[in-house]
Amino acid sequence: MTTDVTLSESAARRIGAILQNEPEGSRLRVSVEGGGCSGFRYEFGFEQGIAADDVLVKRDGVEVLIDPVSLDFLRGSEIDFVDELIGASFQIRNPNAASSCGCGTSFAM
């Protein structure tokens, strides 16, 4: 399945560094769940298995898993990792979000 979700270079680099401390074959999973202060929230976790309908987003040898339901919310997004004075975090630049909370982990459609 083709996807418009992309990984920034810094996200791929950070995911690769984190995966060095995870069991062999682990991948980052990004999903969208109901909840959060804006209606939907991004979830990040590590998994070793791949579901038959998962979409793989790849960059620089790193693979990120996205389930088909979450993909509908994430289409056109960029997964980035930012390291700023106030902290470091994964951020999703989602063109489908009508608004988002201040922390960047939840959004509204």
Side-chain angles (χ1 to χ4, degrees), residues 14-38:
R14 181 64 180 142
I15 293 165
I18 293 170
L19 287 174
Q20 290 180 359
N21 297 316
E22 295 293 320
E24 184 71 29
S26 294
R27 293 171 182 85
L28 179 69
R29 175 174 293 281
V30 177
S31 60
V32 174
E33 304 290 331
C37 53
S38 295

Side-chain angles (χ1 to χ4, degrees), residues 5 14 28 33 37 75 77 88 90 105:
V5 178
R14 181 64 180 142
L28 179 69
E33 304 290 331
C37 53
R75 221 171 274 288
S77 297
F90 286 101
T105 60

